[in-house]
Amino acid sequence: MTMLSTAWKVLLIIFTAITSVSGISSNSFIMIVTYLKHKRFLKLSPRNQIQFTMCLNNLLLQCSTVLFILVMFLIPDVQRELRQVASFVLCLFMAFGSWLAAWLCAFYTVIVVRFRHKVITSLKMKLPSLVPKLLLVTFLGCLSITVPSIWYLNSETAQNMTGNLTYSNISDTHVFHQSDWHYLVIFHTLGTILPVVISIISLVLTVTSLLGHIWRIKHNDSSWNRPLNVAHYKACRTIFLFVAVFVIIVVVGIIFVSKNGIQNFMLVLKAQIYPTELSFILISGSSKVKRALYRVVPCTSQ
């Protein structure tokens, strides 16, 4: 990682404070609205179970980015073990968040699109019991691909980034980075790229279904109605926004493999915004949460 000048540290602290407040407040609001009625996780609908878990993960991710910034950028003398923990939890919650968003996209597609295959029909019936198990298996899978990051964290001589983005060597300062690019490729493939593929497939299927729905409406098929049309639009918009966020994460993650100081710094900044982005997408796609937001902040209804 890159050691920052005093000016950059001040800007980073301000940015961290703003993103932390927005990320924690927005995700906490969604969790409260989602959980308030049933007050038991297993009684929530499958969609709300995924959303609640995603918001909880976003909160943990937001806290982990703060810890990561403290030990990697702001505090020069920190034990290696603490840096390992910071790197581990950041990678874990980033990967888990990507998979949760991918499963939510797949859920929208399964619910909205009219599949005639018996397997999909049976899957819809089993969603209430399937989703909690899927979330647990996904977390364990993300945990398994993240654990090796502890052993691949190496130190090297740091460079100081000044206000004009130039560097000067500091021989007695050490920073840490993931040294094995093979592991980075595997982690980003399983932790970000594969969820992107699932989300894109969900988007294509949902858009295709929407186009077919519109075609049937134009030909006066009475079995297709406006509420389903609105559901298609909402699902397409939500999945598209998730895919857009994912693509940025993947691009920045690929750049991260090059281990350039400024690029690594930008990856951390992107991770800080990530929880807020996901929460805004969830709010825009949930009528229940939006109504609650309108009651709390009336000006948002305008």
Side-chain angles (χ1 to χ4, degrees), residues 54-281:
M54 185 184 299
C55 291
L56 178 60
N57 182 79
N58 288 342
L59 291 177
L60 297 174
L61 175 59
Q62 196 76 65
C63 295
S64 67
T65 58
V66 175
L67 174 63
F68 189 87
I69 286 171
L70 285 175
V71 301
M72 294 291 191
F73 292 101
L74 301 180
I75 304 176
D77 299 319
V78 176
Q79 292 184 349
R80 174 186 174 87
E81 289 75 15
L82 185 56
R83 294 180 188 268
Q84 289 175 323
V85 171
S87 177
F88 168 76
V89 295
L90 179 64
C91 293
L92 173 62
F93 295 134
M94 282 288 292
F96 190 44
S98 298
W99 273 104
L100 288 173
W103 291 138
L104 187 59
C105 293
F107 173 82
Y108 281 131
T109 302
V110 170
I111 295 300
V112 173
V113 178
R114 288 189 173 184
F115 293 104
R116 300 184 183 277
H117 199 282
K118 293 182 179 180
V119 175
I120 304 298
T121 304
S122 176
L123 181 63
K124 288 184 179 181
M125 302 297 295
K126 296 179 180 179
L127 280 177
S129 60
L130 179 63
V131 168
K133 299 175 184 177
L134 178 64
L135 296 178
L136 177 59
V137 171
T138 302
F139 178 78
L140 294 177
C142 293
L143 186 64
S144 66
I145 66 173
T146 309
V147 167
S149 67
I150 298 175
W151 291 281
Y152 289 125
L153 192 68
N154 287 348
S155 64
E156 65 180 13
T157 301
Q159 291 180 309
N160 184 56
M161 187 166 72
T162 61
N164 58 359
L165 298 182
T166 60
Y167 293 92
S168 60
N169 290 327
I170 305 176
S171 58
D172 60 347
T173 304
H174 287 80
V175 291
F176 292 74
H177 65 88
Q178 297 293 336
S179 61
D180 193 306
W181 70 271
H182 294 92
Y183 167 71
L184 287 175
V185 170
I186 294 174
F187 174 79
H188 285 294
T189 300
L190 298 178
T192 55
I193 295 178
L194 191 54
V196 169
V197 173
I198 294 176
S199 301
I200 291 176
I201 293 174
S202 300
L203 179 62
V204 171
L205 291 175
T206 307
V207 170
T208 303
S209 177
L210 175 61
L211 294 176
H213 184 195
I214 294 174
W215 183 85
R216 288 176 175 83
I217 290 177
K218 289 182 178 180
H219 289 76
N220 297 322
D221 188 341
S222 60
S223 64
W224 294 75
N225 51 43
R226 178 176 174 80
L228 187 58
N229 192 29
V230 173
H232 273 81
Y233 276 120
K234 285 185 176 181
C236 288
R237 181 185 61 188
T238 302
I239 297 174
F240 174 79
L241 291 175
F242 278 131
V243 169
V245 172
F246 279 163
V247 169
I248 297 175
I249 288 289
V250 169
V251 171
V252 178
I254 292 174
I255 295 175
F256 175 61
V257 178
S258 67
K259 297 188 294 186
N260 178 277
I262 298 178
Q263 293 166 341
N264 293 354
F265 182 64
M266 294 303 297
L267 177 63
V268 177
L269 295 183
K270 174 58 182 172
Q272 284 189 282
I273 306 174
Y274 191 56
T276 302
E277 291 175 328
L278 294 184
S279 66
F280 285 175
I281 295 174

Side-chain angles (χ1 to χ4, degrees), residues 4-56:
L4 305 179
S5 65
T6 302
W8 278 95
K9 286 183 179 180
V10 172
L11 291 176
L12 180 58
I13 291 173
I14 295 174
F15 184 79
T16 302
I18 295 174
T19 54
S20 297
V21 170
S22 62
I24 292 175
S25 59
S26 57
N27 283 284
S28 298
F29 179 77
I30 298 174
M31 289 178 64
I32 292 172
V33 173
T34 303
Y35 196 72
L36 196 58
K37 182 177 180 180
H38 298 286
K39 297 182 180 181
R40 286 189 63 184
F41 179 79
L42 294 179
K43 287 188 176 181
L44 298 174
S45 66
R47 172 186 171 181
N48 286 337
Q49 287 178 347
I50 299 175
Q51 288 185 346
F52 183 88
T53 306
M54 185 184 299
C55 291
L56 178 60

